[in-house]
Every structure is written in C-alpha cells, then in structure tokens.
Amino acid sequence: MLMRTDPFRELDRLTEAMLGTRGRPAVMPMEAYRDDNHFVIHLDLPGVSTDSIDLTVERNVLTVHAERTPQTESNERIVAERPHGVFSRQVFLGDTLDADNLTADYDAGVLTIKLPVAEKAKPRKVEITGGQGRKEIAS
C-alpha cells in the first residue's frame, strides 16, 4: 500500500504545537488548588523574564501572557528543544473569588497567583433551633 505524506506539513504542525503563534499561543502547564482561604494557581514559565509576563483580569477571566525569547541568533544552535515564543493561558474565575485582591509572585520559573476566597463563599456555622410546638407524626 502506498501512503502519501508531506514531511513539511508534519513539521509545521509540530512547530505550531510546540512554539505557538501570535494567533494561537502555546499553553503553559498549570496546577491549581484551594488552600484554606485562598485559591492558588502555579504556572510553569522557566526562562521567562518578569518583564514579558502580562497578567490581566477582566470580569471573571484571568489571562496570563508571557514570551520566552531565544538566545542571541548569532550563536550556532546545536540543540534547541526548549519552546520559544508566546505563551498564553486563560482561567475562568468563579464568583466566589476576590479577584480585586489577587497577588502574583514569580520565583524559580514558577508564577504563583493567589486569590482570596470571598467572605460570602467561606463556610460558616448555621445554628439550628428546636421547635417546642412541633407535631410528631405517628406511623
């Protein structure tokens, strides 16, 4: 059986998947969890300068854009396995998070975003009162 393949098309597909494009940025790995009264997000961005990280919140959408630029082009590349280009990630935030008071910290290639849980979403104790005049139903 003869199969027709286009190696350049496959190379373009792999390149776009790894590097992304301005129209379709590559995804950055993420971990998210709730820690007591905070919602914590970790995004892996090794080798990215803090100046190239753009963090915005619009309505309930947190958007992170970052760009990793390659080393100087004058050097001869022997191996180039690290993706370069634009990375982007959007996280849809629930109404139970206080997006106005979020904090962001970038350390050791990891961007950590902390969002406080809104007071209305925190668990609270509800008092139960007993009724003196309750009717009992006999079976």
Side-chain angles (χ1 to χ4, degrees):
M1 174 183 243
L2 181 65
M3 293 182 66
R4 184 175 178 202
T5 62
D6 183 358
F8 296 107
R9 184 175 182 185
E10 190 66 16
L11 181 62
D12 285 345
R13 184 186 67 77
L14 288 172
T15 302
E16 284 182 8
M18 296 221 16
L19 302 180
T21 62
R22 290 262 180 214
R24 192 181 68 103
V27 175
M28 58 193 80
M30 178 179 78
E31 180 180 67
Y33 56 91
R34 182 172 174 170
D35 180 25
D36 291 329
N37 294 326
H38 286 88
F39 185 72
V40 182
I41 301 170
H42 296 292
L43 295 161
D44 289 347
L45 295 169
V48 173
S49 167
T50 55
D51 298 335
S52 74
I53 300 173
D54 184 32
L55 180 66
T56 59
V57 177
E58 185 176 347
R59 296 190 185 160
N60 283 358
V61 180
L62 171 71
T63 305
V64 180
H65 284 284
E67 185 171 0
R68 181 185 302 135
T69 54
Q71 299 297 322
T72 59
E73 295 295 325
S74 63
N75 296 338
E76 178 186 357
R77 288 187 193 248
I78 307 300
V79 177
E81 296 178 345
R82 294 177 22 174
H84 296 93
V86 177
F87 301 88
S88 181
R89 189 76 186 237
Q90 284 189 324
V91 179
F92 295 92
L93 306 174
D95 293 331
T96 60
L97 299 174
D98 185 4
D100 293 333
N101 292 312
L102 72 84
T103 59
D105 180 54
Y106 184 66
D107 185 38
V110 178
L111 177 65
T112 301
I113 302 166
K114 287 187 177 184
L115 295 126
V117 175
E119 286 297 322
K120 65 181 180 182
K122 291 181 182 175
R124 62 189 182 282
K125 184 92 170 151
V126 177
E127 185 179 331
I128 301 173
T129 58
Q132 298 288 20
R134 292 194 322 197
K135 296 180 185 178
E136 299 213 11
I137 300 174
S139 37

